[in-house]
Amino acid sequence: MLSPEAVRGMTYREFRTLVAGLPRTPEVRQAQGAVRRRALGLYRERPPLPFLLYLADQEGRLVWRSAEAFAIVEPPLARQTEWYRVVRNLPGSTRALGRLVRSWRFIPPFAPAVVGVVAAVPLGLLSPATARAAVLLLLAGIAHAVTDMIVGVIRLGWSLLRSLSVGMSDDEIFGDEIRGHHWTITFCHAVHPSDADGLCADAFRRTRELRGALLPEDPAFGSECVGVRPENFTSPDVRSLLGDLPSLRPLPRAGWYMIGAKQHFERPVHEAVRPLSGIRLMSASTLLALIVSAQSVAWFERQACSTNDCGARPVTFPKALAWTVRHVFLQFPAPATLPSQALGVLALILVWVMTLCVILTLRWRIRNRRARRDLMYTAIERMAAEPTVAIVVVNETECRAVADAFVARMPGMVPRPGKAGAKAVTLLGTIGGAKVVLAQSEQGTVGAGSMPWTVDNLIKHLDPVFLVLTGVGYGLNARELDDGDQQIGDVVVATQVRAADHRKVTTRADGTQYEITRGPLPEAASDLLSHARVLAQDRSPKVHFGPLLSLNTLVNSEEERARLRGLDEEAVAGEMEAAGLYAAAAQTRRAWIVVKGISDWGIRKTDDHQALAARNAADFVADLICQIEPGAATGREGRKIAG
């Protein structure tokens, strides 16, 4: 059975195709009226589609995949003022089109009134006969505008009453909320469902780019997500399959779908969203209305006064202005004509209504400033309570592997550049209640930008609760070389770090040479190791625990590898930076752990397996941070994990 709900979202052409050949029953006529009202509402709310497409393309809001898949995104209504400041830099023709599009809702109701006023002026100057027609035309235009304003006020009042009643649907409530505080897709043309899914994902990415590049960051707007309604899709086939698209999540009890809503969603702070003020406009319009009313009162009274002595009548502008102001303060002076009395009452209503609006606007502005102040202090408290975990790598392959591992665990997360003092870092977002920061060091432990300098800089400026060194290394217990249990791609977690460069080389009495290792044997943080051992159980690829050799030598020699294995028979791997990590962290007693992926055996080196080994180690690090939950472990009181 047809009903207004059944044809919701259909265009008028689709409806005509659906009901072709059906009898004109009351249900069909009712559904036809619903479709026509919707089409008329769209015409009154927005200009023709080519204008919208051109303007969206010029402003960067057009998401284009092909002629059969494109969409238009819109910023939140609460950020329209900020968006208008951005588009002022566009060419003059584009700005003019933007003003036309954004003021379109006012054109259909007021265009006849403007045309009537403009046409009435020359008609009134031609002859007395045309003057009557000019007056009628002027009155008709004004009546049309006034009627439309009255209807608008009634609709606004009705919507306010409905918002306070239980009869307002969730769809209307959620729709107002989403349009006001989130980006939305207002038009989506996609012929195939697969195109619609990719288009929605592209639209989400485009809104992130626009927000990050053009709109100032504002925590009052909460998490980033994009809303879309089924009616915004042009294809009926796509509308029927929206629930199956991976990029869309249906909003409960509402006809809306959300794109990019994260698991840990932060809702907007409504009182911290800057309200629409318009105080200057309201004050100026009220003053102008008083001046026009006073001038009209003076003209009416001069016309009514037949003698030169008009007595106390307000026939001059100053007297008329004083007379009008006394009306505003409820003194109702006399004598005056009926039109003047009507103008006095209108001025009374106008001034008091505008005064009430100004008071309410000032009150909203004060609430906004208080809410933004509270938001700032809340952010400061969160920054003080939210710990930081620093991950350190050495080369671009390792850096890319860590970023990909965290993006895989936090869909929608985009790594952002940041700084830790003079050191450039990458902000990976929040996971396990902690901010994760990625820093890239130079190779080795000697020289500017090396591991000790990088770690010292991170500790001074970020105060991390613990540090993780990850990346690739060479295995020392290979199955094919050493009859061990290690394979390429396995993960190594260091229980100890042995600085193999710090050694004494001496000669015995018989002339043979031998080495004495003099470096410390620091242990990784015990709490971190305990979590790592639990996480490593039954994990693939396999995770190996044991001492790690660290020296400023790139090992690619069978003789050097054999020498290193002789230094410590229990050593599981070797690399070049762990000793520098320990040296910098030990000065502040900072917890640390080293997680490496085996990319080679220290002989016949190639880069073939570096990406695999780095990604396996990065995945283990990401899972380790999730399991530890540093934010829950430290809380608001403690900042460090015991090691």
Side-chain angles (χ1 to χ4, degrees), residues 33-52:
V35 175
R36 280 179 173 172
R37 285 193 297 273
R38 178 179 176 274
L40 181 60
L42 289 178
Y43 161 74
R44 292 175 64 89
E45 290 177 4
R46 69 186 188 193
L49 182 60
F51 289 172
L52 296 177

Side-chain angles (χ1 to χ4, degrees), residues 517-540:
T517 302
R518 307 183 70 176
L521 292 174
E523 295 183 349
S526 58
D527 286 358
L528 301 181
L529 279 177
S530 66
H531 283 287
R533 291 187 185 279
V534 172
L535 183 63
Q537 295 175 4
D538 300 325
R539 187 179 179 94
S540 180

Side-chain angles (χ1 to χ4, degrees), residues 299-318:
W299 186 83
F300 285 135
E301 295 306 307
R302 283 197 300 269
Q303 295 296 319
C305 181
S306 58
T307 64
N308 293 330
D309 184 14
C310 296
R313 288 182 179 273
V315 293
T316 63
F317 177 76

Side-chain angles (χ1 to χ4, degrees), residues 13-52:
R13 180 178 298 177
E14 293 169 353
F15 176 81
R16 290 287 300 272
T17 303
L18 176 67
V19 300
L22 295 179
R24 307 294 293 176
T25 62
E27 290 80 6
V28 172
R29 287 195 294 270
Q30 184 182 11
Q32 183 181 23
V35 175
R36 280 179 173 172
R37 285 193 297 273
R38 178 179 176 274
L40 181 60
L42 289 178
Y43 161 74
R44 292 175 64 89
E45 290 177 4
R46 69 186 188 193
L49 182 60
F51 289 172
L52 296 177

Side-chain angles (χ1 to χ4, degrees), residues 247-420:
S247 62
L248 298 179
R249 293 293 181 269
L251 193 64
R253 306 190 310 277
W256 282 83
Y257 289 83
M258 305 305 296
I259 309 169
K262 299 178 182 177
Q263 183 177 1
H264 302 289
F265 180 80
E266 293 184 9
R267 63 182 181 180
V269 183
H270 296 84
E271 292 185 353
V273 174
R274 189 169 289 107
L276 300 176
S277 60
I279 293 179
R280 289 192 294 268
L281 179 60
M282 288 188 289
S283 302
S285 60
T286 303
L287 181 60
L288 180 62
L290 282 176
I291 293 174
V292 172
S293 298
Q295 185 64 41
S296 301
V297 166
W299 186 83
F300 285 135
E301 295 306 307
R302 283 197 300 269
Q303 295 296 319
C305 181
S306 58
T307 64
N308 293 330
D309 184 14
C310 296
R313 288 182 179 273
V315 293
T316 63
F317 177 76
K319 289 183 178 181
L321 183 60
W323 183 90
T324 306
V325 171
R326 292 179 64 188
H327 245 84
V328 171
F329 288 98
L330 305 176
Q331 296 181 8
F332 300 104
T337 61
L338 183 60
S340 297
Q341 294 288 355
L343 282 175
V345 173
L346 290 176
L348 164 68
I349 297 173
L350 174 66
V351 169
W352 283 104
V353 169
M354 287 297 185
T355 302
L356 179 62
C357 291
V358 169
I359 292 173
L360 291 176
T361 303
L362 288 174
R363 183 170 176 268
W364 290 334
R365 180 168 289 185
I366 292 173
R367 290 174 59 187
N368 167 258
R369 292 192 175 184
R370 289 177 178 173
R372 296 191 76 81
R373 178 199 62 193
D374 296 341
L375 194 63
M376 179 189 70
Y377 284 114
T378 300
I380 293 175
E381 292 173 359
R382 187 183 298 120
M383 288 166 55
E386 188 176 60
T388 299
V389 174
I391 301 176
V392 190
V393 296
V394 175
N395 58 44
E396 289 76 10
T397 301
E398 298 170 348
C399 189
R400 194 160 46 247
V402 172
D404 292 344
F406 278 86
V407 168
R409 282 153 182 79
M410 294 184 291
M413 186 273 288
V414 176
R416 296 184 293 113
K419 291 195 302 182

Side-chain angles (χ1 to χ4, degrees), residues 387-394 418-427 435-442 449-470 580-581 584-585 588 590-592 639-640:
T388 299
V389 174
I391 301 176
V392 190
V393 296
V394 175
K419 291 195 302 182
K423 180 71 176 178
V425 298
T426 302
L427 309 178
K435 294 182 295 185
V436 181
V437 177
L438 173 63
Q440 183 175 342
S441 166
E442 299 299 327
S450 62
M451 184 60 63
W453 181 87
T454 299
V455 173
D456 183 68
N457 206 59
L458 293 174
I459 293 174
K460 285 181 179 178
H461 295 282
L462 298 181
D463 189 27
V465 288
F466 63 86
L467 299 110
V468 182
L469 173 60
T470 188
L581 170 73
T588 56
R590 201 58 49 109
W592 56 269
R639 295 270 311 183
K640 297 182 175 65

